[in-house]
Amino acid sequence: MKKFISLLTFISFFSLNGFAIEKDSIPFSNGETMRFKVKYGFIKAGYGQLVTYEKENSYHFRAKGWSTSFFDNFFKVRDYYDSYTSKDITPQIFKRDVKEGSYERVQQTTFGGGKATSKTDTIDCPTNTQDLVSFFYYLRKQNLQNLEMGASIEVPIYLNNEVFVTEFIYREDEEMDSILGDDTKCMVFDVKVASGRVFGDGEPLKVWITKDHQKVPVKLKTELAVGSIKMVLDTYKSGV
């Protein structure tokens, strides 16, 4: 169950690195809101939400995840994340306030000078390190038009005084029905997460994002020993 909840709060945030930024064409704006429905098999387990707040010289991205009333009886989740970045999506401040069953953690991290500093530790960060929320929006600023199938990209992501290297493999294109329309054309990625530089096998995680200017995630899925977890875009509101 603990592993399930960790996936619940993580799999909705992902990114790519190594491609030119679409500087003149930003696919998100102030007020954009996405909500995801999370299912364990056929059971509705929880929700995740992402909201964009745009300021003159910065962004504030807010994310939250919560379990349904049914799952509250077994493992209650109330997670909140706030990411403050520059306009080029360079993290500046990252805040976490998570409650997962008996586990609780509140943490604030500041970024600068190639380091991430929290109340308990300061660590060195590789170039272009993202936090757990900012890297999702960094993806959406990338120009993926020339990305070839089979290409593998890595990006470092900071969490809990550690940097995790995440690998994204572009596998195929697929059309699927979504709240954005029937036969939505999507790019499908396999995702692997590593601590340090060692990639574990783990359960396969797949991500579907729209193959268009907005690059909206419409589905995520991971297989478990028993059953699977799916996260599906439930509502979408474009920004101003």
Side-chain angles (χ1 to χ4, degrees):
M1 182 62 70
K2 178 78 171 181
K3 183 176 182 181
F4 163 70
I5 296 300
S6 297
L7 281 166
L8 221 173
T9 57
F10 175 75
I11 61 178
S12 63
F13 313 121
F14 56 94
S15 176
L16 294 174
N17 185 21
F19 295 89
I21 292 177
E22 298 177 353
K23 295 181 179 179
D24 300 323
S25 185
I26 307 302
F28 50 84
S29 58
N30 186 50
E32 184 192 55
T33 303
M34 285 176 265
R35 192 180 77 162
F36 300 87
K37 180 168 54 180
V38 182
K39 287 188 174 183
Y40 177 54
F42 294 101
I43 301 173
K44 185 166 63 177
Y47 294 93
Q49 181 174 281
L50 292 162
V51 182
T52 297
Y53 301 95
E54 183 177 4
K55 299 182 180 180
E56 183 177 358
N57 297 312
S58 63
Y59 286 109
H60 171 197
F61 304 117
R62 171 165 288 177
K64 66 178 181 178
W66 67 99
S67 51
T68 62
S69 56
F70 173 78
F71 265 87
D72 281 349
N73 296 319
F74 306 97
F75 202 99
K76 186 175 182 178
V77 174
R78 297 293 185 272
D79 290 353
Y80 301 89
Y81 302 85
D82 289 280
S83 174
Y84 300 84
T85 77
S86 62
K87 275 299 180 76
D88 65 353
I89 317 297
T90 298
Q92 297 172 337
I93 300 174
F94 178 60
K95 298 180 179 180
R96 298 176 65 217
D97 184 354
V98 300
K99 297 179 181 179
E100 301 172 0
S102 60
Y103 174 80
E104 296 185 12
R105 182 165 187 143
V106 177
Q107 184 182 40
Q108 177 171 313
T109 303
T110 57
F111 298 86
K115 297 182 181 295
T117 302
S118 67
K119 186 176 180 180
T120 58
D121 201 1
T122 296
I123 66 170
D124 294 325
C125 293
T127 301
N128 198 42
T129 294
Q130 300 291 317
D131 65 46
L132 192 60
V133 179
S134 68
F135 77 146
F136 163 69
Y137 292 93
Y138 187 82
L139 163 64
R140 298 177 65 200
K141 288 189 67 177
Q142 307 308 304
N143 182 353
L144 304 182
Q145 293 180 355
N146 298 322
L147 183 63
E148 296 182 358
M149 288 185 185
S152 178
I153 310 103
E154 296 180 10
V155 63
I157 300 172
Y158 171 90
L159 180 66
N160 283 345
N161 299 322
E162 189 173 356
V163 174
F164 296 83
V165 178
T166 307
E167 182 182 36
F168 301 83
I169 306 169
Y170 178 29
R171 289 301 189 193
E172 59 183 340
D173 290 338
E174 183 178 321
E175 291 186 353
M176 61 180 296
D177 294 339
S178 75
I179 66 163
L180 301 179
D182 296 338
D183 299 325
T184 301
K185 192 169 184 178
C186 297
M187 304 172 74
V188 185
F189 292 88
D190 286 342
V191 184
K192 293 184 178 181
V193 179
S195 177
R197 302 298 298 178
V198 180
F199 288 99
D201 292 333
E203 292 81 5
L205 170 63
K206 287 186 177 294
V207 178
W208 287 255
I209 67 171
T210 59
K211 192 170 184 177
D212 57 16
H213 164 62
Q214 290 182 294
K215 309 176 189 72
V216 176
V218 294
K219 180 181 176 182
L220 302 96
K221 182 179 180 180
T222 186
E223 300 291 342
L224 303 178
V226 179
S228 64
I229 298 174
K230 289 191 295 185
M231 179 175 270
V232 179
L233 187 64
D234 186 43
T235 61
Y236 179 78
K237 174 186 175 184
S238 62
V240 177

